[in-house]
Amino acid sequence: MSRESSTVRKLARNTGWLLLQAAGSKLLSFALNIIVVRYLGTAGYGELSFAMAFAGFFTILGDFGLSTYAIKEVSAEKTAAPEIFGRGLAINIFFSAFIALLLLGAGAAAGIGGRALLCIFLIGVSYLLHQTGAFLAGYFRAHEKMSLMFATESLYRLVLLLFCWCCVLLRLGLPEMASAYMAASAVYLAVVLLLVARTLRLRPAAGLRDYAGMLRDSAPYGLSSAALIVYYNADIVMLSFFKGAGAVGVYSAAYNLYLSLGVVTSIYMGAAFPVLARLFKSSPEGIRTAYRKSLKFLLIIAVPVSFGAVLLSSEIMTFLYGREFSPAAAPFAILASVTPFFYLNAFFGHFFAAAGKIRDSFVLFCAACLLNVGLNLLLIPRYGYIGAAVSTVVSETLYFALAAVYFSRTEYHFMPWGLIARLLFFSAVMTAVLRMFSGAGVFVLAGAGALMYALMVLLGGVLDREDVALIKEAFRP
């Protein structure tokens, strides 16, 4: 077996294991979202979503790209872990204390007070605590110890679910719910710190020059993360100011469910990033193979998910959140229509980072982000959450187009147009058949659609022998 084939098989094995391990964590997160949304209603969930979006603008600066930088560097050079994670932890602690105070000042300056400001502060502290824990958990990811990484994240989701469920049972208010988020993040940080301390002796730097150098190297990743936060949160903040908490609640329910469709790509990239970072330094042929296979498998999953989500948008929203959130079906269907772009854009972003081309990615993403903010300002005052959804769709499409053109001019110019045409045809057939049985229920239709699509993929010659071998490798015990 060639070195390139062995590496890709390892990537497949890691991804399959993570898919099984992460299922519990994602299920807990999904259950939490349903409980919180149903309990708070459109207005209450809108207030919570606004607090999360507003806090997110500031708390992302606490990490400043250190997590991505540390994982990339330690994946390639394991002996650098004590210094990199030691310095990064010290920076995280200092920045978190500063940002917590900054968050209070910014909220007050924006005219936010009372319960809303308290919720923003509590959610902000929750983000900062979890962010610090996630930075340290990057040590597990850099060493491909995915069991520890996802065990700690699953623990966090379970604790958060229990704390929020207690808030529901006791009929507590929004500040108490925000406190539950903060407490769960504190537990997560404590557990991760304890596990890391057992295997790694952190060595913070003594001089400011070392910290400045690390911040300089991580800055491109930090700026990209900041642009990402603006991209994902600007619409919610604008909706709050222009249309109120009710509109934010409806849109947030749709938007968070849309983000949940990306569970496959988030799991895949969690396994792939350390491998890609190493391949760029050791195996040019291996990275090209990983690029081609990644695009192929992500498209095979993303295209039918998009068709199915659009078809069942009304049934899904009513089933999950109740009739109060039935208006969220329209923005969800609009967002779900670009699920393939969502999947591929996530892959392109990680591929840029693994290749050390984060500045190029930042330029492309800034173009999409500026378009997103501009369209939101133009469309939200008149069209509300429909305008916000359309802005996201156009922005996702722009980033995909820019990234596709960029890679077409490099050695990674593979874009499987023939495969895409077949997948679109299979998905259209699946949708047409499901429409004839529209009253059968969400679970029945989703299961039947998945089975029908899988058969068409298997019988339609989409998978070659190497693909089948990789799939078997992914689910090997």
Side-chain angles (χ1 to χ4, degrees):
M1 182 186 298
S2 69
R3 182 179 180 183
E4 291 78 13
S5 177
S6 176
T7 303
V8 174
R9 284 177 178 272
K10 183 176 183 181
L11 173 56
R13 187 165 58 251
N14 284 349
T15 302
W17 191 91
L18 286 178
L19 185 62
L20 296 175
Q21 289 293 315
S25 176
K26 297 300 180 182
L27 183 61
L28 290 172
S29 181
F30 193 60
L32 170 67
N33 193 53
I34 294 175
I35 290 172
V36 171
V37 170
R38 281 182 170 268
Y39 176 65
L40 294 178
T42 54
Y45 187 59
E47 290 183 57
L48 180 62
S49 298
F50 171 74
M52 291 177 170
F54 190 90
F57 279 121
F58 296 88
T59 55
I60 189 61
L61 300 175
D63 181 80
F64 204 66
L66 292 170
S67 295
T68 305
Y69 168 78
I71 293 170
K72 181 177 181 295
E73 294 300 314
V74 176
S75 294
E77 184 54 62
K78 300 295 191 293
T79 58
E83 290 79 11
I84 289 179
F85 282 99
R87 297 171 192 170
L89 178 60
I91 294 172
N92 260 279
I93 293 173
F94 176 79
F95 277 10
S96 294
F98 173 75
I99 290 169
L101 297 175
L102 178 63
L103 192 57
L104 282 175
I112 303 171
R115 187 178 79 162
L117 184 58
L118 175 60
C119 290
I120 288 173
F121 178 75
L122 293 172
I123 291 295
V125 173
S126 168
Y127 283 174
L128 292 169
L129 292 172
H130 186 273
Q131 193 169 255
T132 303
F135 168 76
L136 290 173
Y139 172 74
F140 307 141
R141 186 172 168 186
H143 286 77
E144 298 177 39
K145 297 180 179 180
M146 301 305 180
S147 58
L148 287 175
M149 180 180 170
F150 278 90
T152 52
E153 187 64 27
S154 296
L155 175 65
Y156 164 70
R157 298 294 175 186
L158 178 60
V159 171
L160 179 57
L161 177 63
L162 292 175
F163 286 175
C164 289
W165 182 244
C166 287
C167 290
V168 173
L169 292 178
L170 297 174
R171 310 301 296 176
L172 299 178
L174 195 57
E176 290 79 12
M177 188 75 74
S179 298
Y181 277 81
M182 184 179 69
S185 295
V187 172
Y188 170 72
L189 173 58
V191 171
V192 172
L193 185 59
L194 180 63
L195 290 174
V196 170
R198 293 176 59 186
T199 57
L200 179 67
R201 185 171 183 178
L202 300 172
R203 290 202 292 268
L208 293 178
R209 182 175 299 178
D210 293 323
Y211 292 107
M214 187 172 184
L215 286 173
R216 183 185 62 250
D217 293 338
S218 69
Y221 304 104
L223 292 173
S224 294
S225 297
L228 194 66
I229 290 296
V230 172
Y231 181 82
Y232 283 120
N233 291 348
D235 47 8
I236 292 176
V237 174
M238 291 184 200
L239 266 176
S240 179
F241 282 110
F242 286 118
K243 297 295 182 179
V248 174
V250 170
Y251 180 69
S252 295
Y255 195 70
N256 288 332
L257 188 59
Y258 163 66
L259 294 180
S260 297
L261 297 179
V263 59
V264 173
T265 188
S266 65
I267 293 171
Y268 181 79
M269 294 318 305
F273 184 69
V275 177
L276 294 175
R278 188 172 64 251
L279 283 175
F280 266 107
K281 293 188 175 183
S282 62
S283 177
E285 181 58 35
I287 194 66
R288 285 191 289 270
T289 301
Y291 180 87
R292 292 194 300 271
K293 293 299 182 183
S294 296
L295 284 186
K296 183 174 184 178
F297 285 126
L298 289 174
L299 283 168
I300 288 173
I301 296 171
V303 174
V305 167
S306 178
F307 275 72
V310 172
L311 174 66
L312 301 175
S313 57
S314 295
E315 291 85 350
I316 291 172
M317 279 297 166
T318 303
F319 175 79
L320 292 178
Y321 303 132
R323 294 192 178 278
E324 184 181 3
F325 284 87
S326 58
F332 175 66
I334 294 171
L335 293 167
S337 66
V338 290
T339 300
F341 293 162
F342 177 34
Y343 273 44
L344 296 186
N345 289 347
F347 172 72
F348 287 148
H350 282 79
F351 198 81
F352 273 119
K357 301 289 186 181
I358 194 65
R359 288 178 175 83
D360 294 340
S361 176
F362 180 67
V363 171
L364 301 185
F365 192 75
C366 278
C369 186
L370 289 173
L371 177 64
N372 180 264
V373 172
L375 286 176
N376 278 316
L377 284 171
L378 180 66
L379 298 178
I380 285 178
R382 184 171 182 179
Y383 300 105
Y385 48 72
I386 297 297
V390 171
S391 299
T392 298
V393 165
V394 176
S395 304
E396 289 280 357
T397 305
L398 176 64
Y399 182 82
F400 170 77
L402 292 175
V405 170
Y406 178 94
F407 284 112
S408 70
R409 298 174 179 176
T410 69
E411 57 186 309
Y412 311 106
H413 50 75
F414 173 76
M415 185 57 67
W417 298 112
L419 171 67
I420 293 173
R422 276 192 286 176
L423 297 180
L424 289 172
F425 174 74
F426 293 158
S427 298
V429 171
M430 175 193 73
T431 302
V433 173
L434 293 181
R435 279 186 181 278
M436 295 187 293
F437 303 94
S438 58
V442 174
F443 287 112
V444 173
L445 291 173
L451 179 61
M452 189 188 318
Y453 178 81
L455 288 174
M456 285 188 285
V457 167
L458 291 174
L459 299 176
V462 171
L463 302 176
D464 56 32
R465 290 185 178 180
E466 186 178 9
D467 296 331
V468 174
L470 289 174
I471 293 173
K472 290 180 179 179
E473 187 73 25
F475 293 99
R476 178 184 297 176

